[in-house]
Amino acid sequence: MGSEIAGMTFAGDIIHVTFYANAAAIILSLGVLVLCSKGVIRDPFEGKIFRGLLLATFCLTLSNGLDFSGTDAVLPVFLSGLIMTVNELLINAVEILWLCYVNYRIYRSRDFLFRICIKRFIPLFVIAAITFLNLFFGFLFYIDNDHVWHVSWWQGLCETIRFFYIIACIIQVSSYKKKHREFKFFTVAGFVVPMLAGTLYTALSPYSVIPLGFAIGLTNVYAGIINETSFLDRETGYFNRFYLRYLEADIRDHVIPVKSAMTYRLGSPEDMKAFSECLDPLLPGKCVMVRYNPTTVIMLAGVSDRFALRMMKEDAENGLKTLQNGCTEEDGFISIETFVRKKTDSDLVFYQQVLQKADVRQGAE
């Protein structure tokens, strides 16, 4: 009698822990989903992928809440197997969407994502198909009439493949961050660590907290997005003045090579959005753009050749003629000034000199 009461108490604890973990996951995923609907993510396609991640996590949470299968299961055998299958499919969907999200943030190309990246995820789509077929054949996992789960080594292989993709994603982002600066506030560990922690805890304990791990991870990613947008000028997409303290530290640590600079000054701040749209296609790769004040934009680059810098200036002047011709002479005025670092100056000294000259010009105006 005592053992039966203890077993019932333990089963109740499992249900309570699962319920509270799922409730927290629902609150986090729905809360972030609502916040994402307010246009925080500037790229519409990126926003769709991220909202898809949140919806998949929400659905996984609901499915996980129904999964009380085991020795004390209250659901029919087939329904328990169906819920377990849906859980596995949703976990697979979250991972595929996560990989699509990371690759889109890196390449910013829907065409590249659909032509190249999706092909790399074919093993994950195969795992999804096999998981669906398992519902009828039971070669990955199944539950017997005594409500005991049986898992084959094929299921372990599928989980190993999924784990391999997560590790590959970590390596991919780490390698990209060393060469580019777009991911300064994006940390793949913010998503991966809670996800792996939830998965590991679920595997080693009777409690299911995988959806909570996913929800915490996506909340961390969203916090990084908010942090990133706070240092971006919403009108142009360039960095704002708040970012200068990070920029100076990166230049001091030789993360960003600064060998030349350009300053662009507009006659009217109302033209800044149109100006940035005209200028963006003309910018060199790996340059840093800062909106220093309402009418001034500073470009920092690693170009050291004076001839190349002069060509860049001419290209910018030609590209901005359309904007200038469409405005009055006073409002459409755009001046471009170039600077090249002296060999005796460090990158940091040169950077500070450029800012000082921008301040002097602003005071003169």
Side-chain angles (χ1 to χ4, degrees), residues 42-269:
R42 295 170 61 89
D43 189 313
F45 190 71
E46 178 190 339
K48 288 180 181 179
I49 301 176
F50 193 71
R51 286 191 290 272
L53 266 167
L54 292 166
L55 286 174
T57 300
F58 176 73
C59 293
L60 174 61
T61 306
L62 296 180
S63 177
N64 187 69
L66 297 175
D67 187 15
F68 299 133
S69 301
T71 55
D72 300 296
V74 295
L75 298 176
V77 171
F78 178 78
L79 187 55
S80 294
L82 176 62
I83 293 175
M84 183 66 174
T85 300
V86 171
N87 281 348
E88 289 295 315
L89 289 173
L90 287 171
I91 291 173
N92 214 60
V94 170
E95 181 164 341
I96 291 174
L97 286 170
W98 168 252
L99 294 172
C100 288
Y101 177 74
V102 170
N103 278 274
Y104 182 74
R105 285 208 60 173
I106 289 176
Y107 299 108
R108 291 295 180 186
S109 171
R110 278 188 271 188
D111 183 61
F112 182 83
L113 182 64
F114 292 128
R115 286 193 306 106
I116 305 298
C117 293
I118 294 298
K119 294 179 182 178
R120 299 173 183 172
F121 309 150
I122 287 178
L124 294 176
F125 290 109
V126 172
I127 290 175
I130 293 175
T131 302
F132 176 76
L133 293 175
N134 176 79
L135 182 63
F136 307 99
F137 300 102
F139 46 81
L140 293 179
F141 53 83
Y142 69 92
I143 184 171
D144 60 25
N145 292 328
D146 295 323
H147 295 287
V148 176
W149 282 103
H150 301 270
V151 181
S152 73
W153 68 272
W154 287 103
Q155 175 64 13
L157 177 61
C158 292
E159 293 176 354
T160 301
I161 293 173
R162 291 200 299 230
F163 180 74
F164 167 79
Y165 272 97
I166 293 298
I167 298 301
C169 178
I170 295 174
I171 296 173
Q172 179 187 20
V173 173
S174 299
S175 175
Y176 186 82
K177 289 179 73 171
K178 290 180 180 179
K179 301 176 182 178
H180 303 83
R181 311 200 69 264
E182 290 86 343
F183 274 22
K184 178 153 185 85
F185 300 101
F186 178 84
T187 168
V188 70
F191 174 78
V192 172
V193 171
M195 182 200 72
L196 293 180
T199 303
L200 183 62
Y201 188 78
T202 300
L204 299 178
S205 74
Y207 308 113
S208 180
V209 295
I210 291 178
L212 180 59
F214 285 163
I216 292 174
L218 292 176
T219 303
N220 288 337
V221 174
Y222 179 75
I225 293 172
I226 294 297
N227 194 20
E228 183 178 30
T229 56
S230 66
F231 294 101
L232 294 177
D233 176 60
R234 294 188 63 85
E235 197 171 7
T236 62
Y238 303 149
F239 291 119
N240 56 32
R241 289 191 65 132
F242 297 113
Y243 186 72
L244 292 180
R245 63 177 183 271
Y246 288 101
L247 183 58
E248 181 170 337
D250 285 343
I251 295 173
R252 182 186 299 111
D253 297 337
H254 305 290
V255 176
I256 302 175
V258 180
K259 301 183 183 301
S260 60
M262 281 191 184
T263 57
Y264 304 88
R265 293 184 179 83
L266 281 68
S268 171

Side-chain angles (χ1 to χ4, degrees), residues 352-364:
Q352 292 171 342
Q353 290 173 349
V354 172
L355 296 188
Q356 288 173 0
K357 291 178 180 178
D359 287 333
V360 169
R361 288 299 183 91
Q362 182 182 2

Side-chain angles (χ1 to χ4, degrees), residues 181 238-239 243 247 256-258 262 284-290 297-302:
R181 311 200 69 264
Y238 303 149
F239 291 119
Y243 186 72
L247 183 58
I256 302 175
V258 180
M262 281 191 184
K286 300 182 182 179
C287 67
V288 178
M289 303 296 296
V290 180
V297 171
I298 297 176
M299 181 196 78
L300 302 172

Side-chain angles (χ1 to χ4, degrees), residues 320-337:
L320 295 170
K321 280 183 179 178
T322 304
L323 175 63
Q324 291 178 298
N325 292 338
C327 305
T328 63
E329 183 176 351
E330 181 179 353
D331 290 343
F333 172 76
I334 301 174
S335 67
I336 303 176
E337 189 173 3

